[in-house]
Every structure is written in structure tokens, then in C-alpha cells.
Amino acid sequence: MEKQRQAILLADAESFYASVEITHNPSLRGKPVAVCGDPALRHGLVLAASKEAKAYGVKTGQPAWECRRLCPGVIFVRPHMNRYLESALEMTRIFEQFTDRVVPYSIDEHFLDLSGCERLWGTPHEAARRILRQVWDETGIRCRIGLGENPLQAKMACDRFAKKRVDGFFELNSTNYAAHVWSLPIGNLFGVGPRMKDHFNRMAVRTIGDLARLPREIPTRRWGVNGLLLWLNAHGIDYSTLQPGTLAPQKGVGHCATLPRDYASRQEIEAVLLELTEEACFRARTLGKMGTTVHVYCRGADFDHPSGFSRQKKLPEPASAATEVYPVAQQLFRRHWDGRPVRAVGLNLSGLTDRRCYQLSLFNHREITNSLSAAMDEIRERFGPTALFRAASLTSGGQLFTRANMIGGHEK
Amino acid sequence: MRKKKLYHQFACSSLILPEHRARLAQHHQKKAREACRGETSLAAADEQQQEQFQRLAEQSLSRQLPLKVTVREGGSCRTITGVIIEQQSLSGKIRLQSGECIITVAVTAIIYLEPAF
């Protein structure tokens, strides 16, 4: 009996943020639109551009001024993260009407496993067309779909081919993978970033086919499991499994803040560090976790002379209260900061363990700290993150009130 | 341990905002609650899903794969994490080793099965 082929789809929304803005303001349809943060707050990068703006050469990640230079008639729209999250969830609900095996991969990408659904929706190609039509009808957002026998093939089909096609659909399978993919530059392979591309180029590996033709021992010996993974990707082989309804367990919680101006004073930077510690600890407690390692990151303001540091330290014992985490973060900062102005600060709490199990200590008042944290969490959940805050947030460096209106670093 | 990347490369590279993650979790909880209210059970799952559940149950029994088993209890749901140690075909029950405890569950009360990571 022939083994049934898997039918994995990757659905990707076209210029997602820009498309959502257009559905909320239909007068923007057909015009060059760029979703862009506030340049005054150093968030003046293009987050998404409509296809009309892209036709002028506007790309995601470009500064607003460059976007304006390329496309003088561009219409800038501020981001609305809540809208995007709502639309993403709406798309998830639509996909779940076709299969219960839906796995969100990012805010605008979903994997769908349609294996064995032929009797319900016809061939995967027919199902994909239906999905594209339904998403368009119900949300006004255009999707592109890549079909493959595994998630990798679906991702490659979508990113490298479906996005360039008028019908927004492309299929890769083990029979046609080499014919379509091997001629592409190595940088187009999933998992190969700019630095890896340089490494491969130095090995005279310029196309995906060049990598596929190498003996697998060469990348494996050089980069271990990562090298093997890329070699398998070059062959279209992927052992990933999609687990619907479950999100990969979080390994850490953290936050990073790009500052509205360069901070040069220790007090100002430490005020932000304290706020980030509070946020990370709050999230850890919400997950019922404590962190065992704190990681502090600082990026210098001078692009020509890159400075900053990224250092971590193990906590004396797992903690989820800012009063316990912050002294370690502060110590890391004071030890490694070179005194030069800072543009971005980040803090991460990793090595998460269950919050209910902890070592009792004779000298610290864990029960009192926990009760205090629980009371603070309750107040913030009920009245918002600015209902209860540290006095440091009222100083010139404090960013709490700005950050309270943001999701993922962009306006709510 | 790093070999895990071979089997979960997309889980490793997935980029989901905490706020998006929270809303997805709410969405899944809502779906689970609706399933409970609708008295959904394993029998209501489609043929393909039943096959998937069966495969997971067999893997748990033969290879000690830990599972998250969602069981209907009265009007609410309960999730048990454990390994299936025995299948009682005559009584239509399974026995799960959950930590130190052994829990017996009627197969008809099972709503959902998934691997526990």
C-alpha cells in the first residue's frame, strides 16, 4: 500500500500590517502605504509596506526618510498592534474551519496540516484556493500559500515562489524540490542568515544545490547539528512535527527597550533596567515560573564605534520577584558598562523552573515577597501596568508610561 | 539535547509576541471549554483524529511517551499528564502513571490527547 503523502501548507499574509490598516481605512486601497513608527521615538522604520509602495522600492526595515525619498507620495500610517493581533486570531479561526491542525508560526504565518482531508476539501491545491478565497472574503487580506510534504518544503514554496506568483500558490514536493530550489542562491535557504551565507561562500558554496551536493559530513563536522540541519534543508528533508494547540514551552522571558534618546547617566539607564526587571518578573509569575539566570544586554549609541555588552549571571536561587532579580541585574550592568551612551537596554530571565517548588531559606522572606508580588500583579492586571509603579519611573529616564502603550515595541 | 533542533526547527524559530501567545492560549482555552460544554468526547472526534489519538496512546503504552490527557468530568474538564501503563480493554479504561499516582480513566471520558513536552 502506498504511504499517504503529507500535505502541509504555510499561509502567509501579504504585507500584513499594511493590509490590516487598509481594511480599516478602505480609502487607502490601491495607494502606496507604509506602516511606520514614530521617528521622534526612534521607531521610524518601515514595519510593512503595501504592494504599491513596494513597487517604488520601499522595503520593510527602511528608515522613514529613505522610504519618502523612494516614494514621495507614500502615506505613512502609525502601527496599531492590537488590530494586528485581532486580525491574526481571526485568520487562525478561519484556518481552523479547514483543519484542526493549525500552528501559528508568527503573527502573519500559519502552518496547516491538511493531510487526509481530500474528501472534505478536494486536493491540497483546491483546498488552498478555497482558503485564499475565504481569508480574502472575510478579512480583506490577501494570503499566499506554499504547499509541501513537510513544513520546510511548505515554507520554501511560500517564501521563494508563491509570493512571486499572481495566484499566490506554489507546491514543492520531494520530486520537484531539487529542480526548483537547487539553483537558488544559498542565502535563500531557510535557516541561512547573512553570516552563514558568507561562511558558505568562503567554502565556494554559492547555491542551495552546491550545499546539497556536499557530503553531509562536511557541514556536520563544521557546525554540528546546525550544519546537518542545513544540509537536510537543502535536500528538502525535514523531521519537524506540527503540534496543534500547543505552543513551544517558553525557555525565558525578557524585554528590550530602544531608548527615545541616548542615555548617558547611570541613574537613567538603571531606571529602565528596573522597569524591564519588573516586566520580566511579572511575566514569569504569570507563567507560574521563576528564573535561574538573569541576562543583561546593552547596546551603545555610536554606530561607528559599536559598544555595549551582553552578560549573564546565575541567581543565588531561582526568583521571580524584582527585588531579588534586580540587584543581580544592576551588578551586571555596573560591572560591564563602559560609561558610554546607551541606545538600547534588554533584560532576560532564563532557566525557568516551577514557581511552586523552591528551597526554603532561613534568611530571606520568600513568603512575604511572594504575597507582595501576587498583590502587585492583581492590581496591575485589574487596573493596568501603570496603576502601581516604582518611583524611578517618574524620573527623567523612566519609560514605563511610554511602554505601557506598546506591544512588541510598537504602538498598541 | 541539541538534536532536538532536528525535530523542532520551526518551533525553535517561531516568533510569537507574548501578547499574541496569551491571546492564542485564551483562544485554545475557550475552544476546550466549548468542547466540554458540548459534551464532546473521543467518539465525536473525526476518524483521522481518532487515529492520531490511537497512535499517541500506543506510543505512550509501548515507549512511555508522556501524554496530556484531557478528560471530561461532570460539566468541566481535567487535564492529566502521565504515561499510559495499562489498557483495560474489557472495562474500556486506561491506567495512567502520573507522577507517583496511578489514575484510571474511562476512554469514553477522554476529549483530547497530546504529547506532553
Side-chain angles (χ1 to χ4, degrees), chain B residues 11 18-19 30 34 39 48 54 68 72 83 87 96 99 109:
Chain B
E19 292 80 1
K30 192 176 160 205
E34 281 170 2
E39 297 287 290
Q48 197 180 350
Q54 208 173 344
K68 259 192 207 174
R72 181 164 38 83
V83 172
Q87 179 195 7
L96 283 157

Side-chain angles (χ1 to χ4, degrees), chain A residues 225-290:
Chain A
V225 69
N226 292 319
L228 174 61
L229 189 66
L230 293 177
W231 186 85
L232 291 170
N233 286 356
H235 282 270
I237 300 167
D238 179 23
Y239 300 123
S240 301
T241 46
L242 299 177
Q243 295 297 340
T246 53
L247 294 164
Q250 277 186 268
K251 291 180 180 169
V253 285
H255 286 279
C256 181
T258 300
L259 304 169
R261 57 185 164 80
D262 299 341
Y263 279 17
S265 101
R266 198 182 74 188
Q267 284 77 13
E268 284 193 325
I269 303 168
E270 286 184 355
V272 180
L273 197 58
L274 177 58
E275 288 171 350
L276 296 177
T277 311
E278 283 280 3
E279 281 183 51
C281 288
F282 171 67
R283 268 182 55 210
R285 292 193 295 268
T286 311
L287 294 170
K289 303 283 184 189
M290 293 189 291

Side-chain angles (χ1 to χ4, degrees), chain A residues 38-266:
Chain A
D38 183 0
L41 293 173
R42 287 178 166 182
H43 292 138
L45 293 183
V46 173
L47 301 173
S50 66
K51 65 172 185 234
E52 291 79 9
K54 282 178 182 168
Y56 285 89
V58 174
K59 286 180 187 157
T60 304
Q62 268 173 352
W65 61 265
E66 198 181 344
C67 173
R68 172 81 71 195
R69 186 179 59 80
L70 290 167
C71 177
V74 68
I75 301 167
F76 286 117
V77 181
R78 286 286 178 79
H80 298 91
M81 292 303 289
N82 269 327
R83 278 183 192 169
Y84 310 149
L85 292 179
E86 258 326 299
S87 294
L89 210 56
E90 206 179 327
M91 282 170 55
T92 309
R93 286 190 205 107
I94 294 171
F95 296 142
E96 283 174 349
Q97 291 171 26
F98 289 86
T99 170
D100 53 350
R101 286 157 293 168
V102 176
V103 181
Y105 179 58
S106 67
I107 195 164
D108 61 348
E109 290 174 295
H110 289 75
F111 280 111
L112 287 81
D113 184 353
L114 278 179
S115 316
C117 294
E118 287 81 3
R119 282 193 200 171
L120 285 169
W121 311 115
T123 63
H125 194 162
E126 286 164 349
R129 280 184 195 287
R130 273 177 188 246
I131 293 169
L132 291 174
R133 167 62 51 198
Q134 194 164 334
V135 173
W136 172 257
D137 288 347
E138 291 186 22
T139 66
I141 294 170
R142 186 173 177 258
C143 269
R144 286 77 55 92
I145 289 183
L147 167 67
E149 291 168 5
N150 56 45
L152 171 87
Q153 290 177 4
K155 176 82 177 146
M156 290 293 288
C158 184
D159 287 353
R160 302 294 157 222
F161 303 99
K163 286 182 181 179
K164 292 173 190 155
R165 288 171 61 103
V166 180
D167 63 354
F169 176 82
F170 197 79
E171 178 181 0
L172 283 176
N173 51 46
S174 42
T175 319
N176 71 4
Y177 189 83
H180 288 289
V181 173
W182 282 15
S183 57
L184 297 176
I186 187 70
N188 283 1
L189 181 65
F190 178 75
V192 176
R195 286 175 71 175
M196 200 52 152
K197 185 184 143 197
D198 291 342
H199 285 307
F200 277 127
N201 286 346
R202 278 197 289 274
M203 293 167 69
V205 172
R206 307 213 175 264
T207 64
I208 297 175
D210 290 343
L211 172 61
R213 283 184 283 267
L214 282 181
R216 64 189 277 169
E217 290 75 25
I218 292 180
T220 310
R221 213 179 300 131
R222 180 137 184 211
W223 294 293
V225 69
N226 292 319
L228 174 61
L229 189 66
L230 293 177
W231 186 85
L232 291 170
N233 286 356
H235 282 270
I237 300 167
D238 179 23
Y239 300 123
S240 301
T241 46
L242 299 177
Q243 295 297 340
T246 53
L247 294 164
Q250 277 186 268
K251 291 180 180 169
V253 285
H255 286 279
C256 181
T258 300
L259 304 169
R261 57 185 164 80
D262 299 341
Y263 279 17
S265 101
R266 198 182 74 188

